[in-house]
Amino acid sequence: MKLNRRYSAALAALAVCGLAVGWLTGVRQAPPAVVIVPAPVAMPTKPKAAPAWTAAPPQREKFPNGNTLEIFASSQPDEIIARFPTDESYDAFVYYLGASKVRVIDQLDRLRAVRIAYDEWTDFVELLDGEDVGVYDSMPAVPDPGRATANHREAVGFGDGLLPWLGITSDNSAWGAGVKIAVLDTGVVDHPALEGVSSIEVAPAMDESTPTQGHGTAVASLIASHDPDAPGIAPGAEIISIRISDESGRADSYSLAAGILASVDAGAQLINISMGTAENNPLIEEAVSYALDHAVLIVAASGNGSRAEPMYPAAYPGVISVGSVDASGAHMDFSNEGSALSLTAPGYAINAAWPGDRTVPITGTSASAPLVTGAIAATMSDGSGVTMSPHEAAAIVMNLSDEAGLPGADSEYGSGILDLGRIMNRGIPGIIDVAITNQRILAKGEGRPNDEIQVTIQNRGTVTLSHVLVETSSGLAAAKFESGTLVPGAIQSFTTPLRQDGRNAEIQVTSRLTLGPLERDIAPQNNHRTDTLWR
């Protein structure tokens, strides 16, 4: 019995095309060539020896419920990745490899996966004789990294003003102390902004003369940088750099899965992944499940493809998926949306460390994810000596995000926009902060005889409020509303009808909030909002 024909062409395409991972970032200026600073290296696990069978060798039985074998593209030429549904099928295949012409490069026994090299493609195909095979392209390239910046020339950048924008106005140098964070990326080089970074290399070792792609250094700096020109959220955290790509940024599902396992083994409590694939990948999915089963939390970039759903692993249940906003709080068009999106964070022109002791502005959800990772680490350990689990901290970060977009959780902003000020001041009584979060036009229908303006407000303070006055006006409507009781974090929406004229035209809508005479809002700039809406 021969290999199922419907998989032959796909397998051949995987063998020819290989794989190029697109890192989800945009760098405004090309970095200079740099020299790699050597770091401690953990060598890949040696392949497991074939079992010493005392009886008849195991049978490569076919499994009726699902594919016997899954094949993934490799980032390396003349290699392929295979994954098996059971330990028995995995052990049997490894046994039979000993008599074949292909070579085992590496194994992930816990995931029943193997990286295989071959001199002739037919040598590998012969091993699949009679098998049912599932083929995965794994992690294809994403758009050009400069696309995000080029398409948003009017967006507002953060530069070195990131921390104040997030509400960090005091010393944060101890935030994240004792928290171990694995950064799965291109590797981290020595940089004045980063201290005490340990390194594990999952991808094949690079020549020391080859410049390191700077993406991993930038991502790590947004978590834990000490540089005031490119500050990080949790400088006290311990960064474990796990290099899963080659010098050009290419990786594959095997190296990502191996990196996740290495993170768990190294004692990481948080994993940051600023990369992804549009295809659900069972090898990556099983590695993610392994980490979550070991109470390790994963934060991942949603991706820069303007897609209706986040990339994987960001889209997997249990993973914190992060999208991007600019310094005006606007959702960035490149940022992937969808029901799996957890929250958004700054992601446009943010200063970050770069090889060569440089600082450059970067853009993309690759930048947003590490900011949330740093926020979770800071919440876990804020320097006061009080610590909590990653999942407890993540729930706080999500619950205290700033409402944005449509009322409640939505596909553009998730639960809202990251706000470190609210997170770190959550235990301080007496904070008054109410904000206008959204204005939009609701088209008539579904019980609405006319078009309506909807205005949403949120109590972002720690004091329960009531009788907040909301005044809304436009060329076609004017109204006053008074809020009911607003407990901390609560939102309320108000609507007023629009006159019938003015359809298919822009309408400028302005709203204001007024508190009681003895109530002082700590952020009065959020009490006034003007939007140009299309009717």
Side-chain angles (χ1 to χ4, degrees):
M1 183 176 181
K2 299 298 182 183
L3 175 66
N4 193 326
R5 285 185 178 180
R6 68 191 181 97
Y7 296 115
S8 299
L11 284 170
L14 291 183
V16 172
C17 296
L19 176 67
V21 169
W23 297 94
L24 310 179
T25 184
V27 180
R28 283 189 157 180
Q29 55 190 110
V34 296
V35 177
I36 295 178
V37 179
V41 175
M43 298 303 293
T45 304
K46 292 182 179 180
K48 184 176 70 173
W53 303 104
T54 56
Q59 298 298 309
R60 288 171 57 193
E61 61 175 304
K62 293 180 64 176
F63 294 83
N65 299 322
N67 294 317
T68 301
L69 187 64
E70 293 164 344
I71 300 297
F72 306 88
S74 171
S75 62
Q76 303 300 313
D78 299 327
E79 286 187 4
I80 208 77
I81 298 161
R83 174 179 175 268
F84 301 84
T86 66
D87 289 338
E88 291 77 14
S89 62
Y90 173 68
D91 288 338
F93 193 85
V94 170
Y95 175 84
Y96 279 96
L97 282 177
S100 73
K101 296 179 181 179
V102 303
R103 302 178 302 283
V104 176
I105 302 301
D106 198 9
Q107 294 175 232
L108 288 175
D109 294 339
R110 282 171 284 182
L111 303 182
R112 308 172 309 284
V114 60
R115 186 187 289 277
I116 302 169
Y118 52 85
D119 295 321
E120 299 291 338
W121 175 242
T122 54
D123 293 336
F124 176 72
V125 172
E126 287 177 359
L127 290 174
L128 307 182
D129 185 28
E131 302 285 0
D132 290 330
V133 179
V135 178
Y136 296 85
D137 290 335
S138 190
M139 301 165 67
V142 295
D144 185 289
R147 173 185 171 192
T149 301
N151 287 358
H152 288 272
R153 299 186 186 280
E154 296 181 0
V156 183
F158 290 89
D160 61 358
L162 174 68
L163 297 194
W165 194 93
L166 288 171
I168 303 173
T169 57
S170 59
D171 179 18
N172 69 323
S173 59
W175 290 6
V179 179
K180 292 184 177 182
I181 303 173
V183 176
L184 274 59
D185 219 288
T186 64
V188 178
V189 303
D190 279 352
H191 193 284
L194 294 164
E195 299 176 358
V197 177
S198 59
S199 297
I200 296 173
E201 296 204 359
V202 169
M206 296 187 298
D207 187 284
E208 290 188 2
S209 64
T210 304
T212 298
Q213 218 274 2
H215 188 274
T217 303
V219 167
S221 75
L222 293 174
I223 298 173
S225 168
H226 296 266
D227 185 349
D229 292 330
I233 303 298
E238 177 184 340
I239 298 296
I240 306 170
S241 169
I242 300 185
R243 189 174 66 81
I244 61 172
S245 76
D246 62 18
E247 65 279 3
S248 67
R250 295 187 310 155
D252 52 39
S253 56
Y254 185 98
S255 59
L256 178 52
I260 293 173
L261 266 58
S263 303
V264 177
D265 293 343
Q269 296 148 288
L270 298 170
I271 297 174
N272 188 91
I273 303 175
S274 288
M275 59 183 294
T277 171
E279 181 185 44
N280 181 16
N281 185 294
L283 179 56
I284 298 172
E285 184 176 17
E286 186 171 3
V288 167
S289 296
Y290 181 88
L292 297 179
D293 289 345
H294 287 76
V296 179
L297 185 66
I298 297 176
V299 180
S302 70
N304 294 353
S306 303
R307 290 166 47 87
E309 288 295 333
M311 305 282 273
Y312 297 95
Y316 289 126
V319 174
I320 304 297
S321 169
V322 187
S324 292
V325 296
D326 74 349
S328 73
H331 174 268
M332 302 302 291
D333 288 346
F334 62 74
S335 180
N336 291 347
E337 306 174 5
S339 58
L341 185 68
S342 302
L343 75 165
T344 53
Y348 185 78
I350 304 171
N351 284 3
W354 197 263
D357 295 352
R358 299 185 62 210
T359 296
V360 300
I362 70 168
T363 288
T365 58
S366 275
S368 306
L371 297 180
V372 171
T373 300
I376 295 172
T379 308
M380 292 171 62
S381 172
D382 62 5
S384 66
V386 178
T387 60
M388 65 180 68
S389 73
H391 291 82
E392 290 174 320
I396 292 172
V397 169
M398 298 270 291
N399 290 336
L400 293 179
S401 59
D402 289 346
E403 168 70 17
L406 303 182
D410 64 77
S411 61
E412 284 191 327
Y413 293 90
S415 66
I417 302 172
L418 178 67
D419 187 336
L420 266 296
R422 289 183 64 194
I423 294 166
M424 292 304 177
N425 295 328
R426 65 189 182 279
I428 299 177
I431 297 176
I432 297 175
D433 182 11
V434 62
I436 302 171
T437 66
N438 184 255
Q439 298 184 129
R440 62 171 178 154
I441 293 177
L442 302 176
K444 68 178 182 179
E446 299 183 0
R448 289 185 296 273
N450 299 298
D451 293 348
E452 296 178 345
I453 296 175
Q454 182 189 66
V455 180
T456 302
I457 67 173
Q458 181 183 32
N459 181 359
R460 296 175 178 173
T462 60
V463 176
T464 297
L465 300 173
S466 60
H467 307 297
V468 176
L469 178 64
V470 182
E471 298 176 272
T472 298
S473 63
S474 72
L476 300 174
K480 294 183 179 181
F481 313 97
E482 192 174 87
S483 77
T485 300
L486 278 171
V487 299
I491 64 172
Q492 285 187 17
S493 295
F494 312 93
T495 57
T496 184
L498 281 170
R499 295 202 308 264
Q500 291 298 331
D501 54 334
R503 184 164 295 282
N504 298 325
E506 290 184 345
I507 302 174
Q508 191 173 72
V509 179
T510 297
S511 294
R512 299 177 183 276
L513 297 175
T514 304
L515 301 174
L518 301 179
E519 295 173 326
R520 183 179 179 183
D521 196 311
I522 66 167
Q525 67 272 17
N526 294 329
N527 297 354
H528 176 276
R529 178 168 178 150
T530 297
D531 291 299
T532 300
L533 307 176
W534 181 261
R535 186 184 187 190

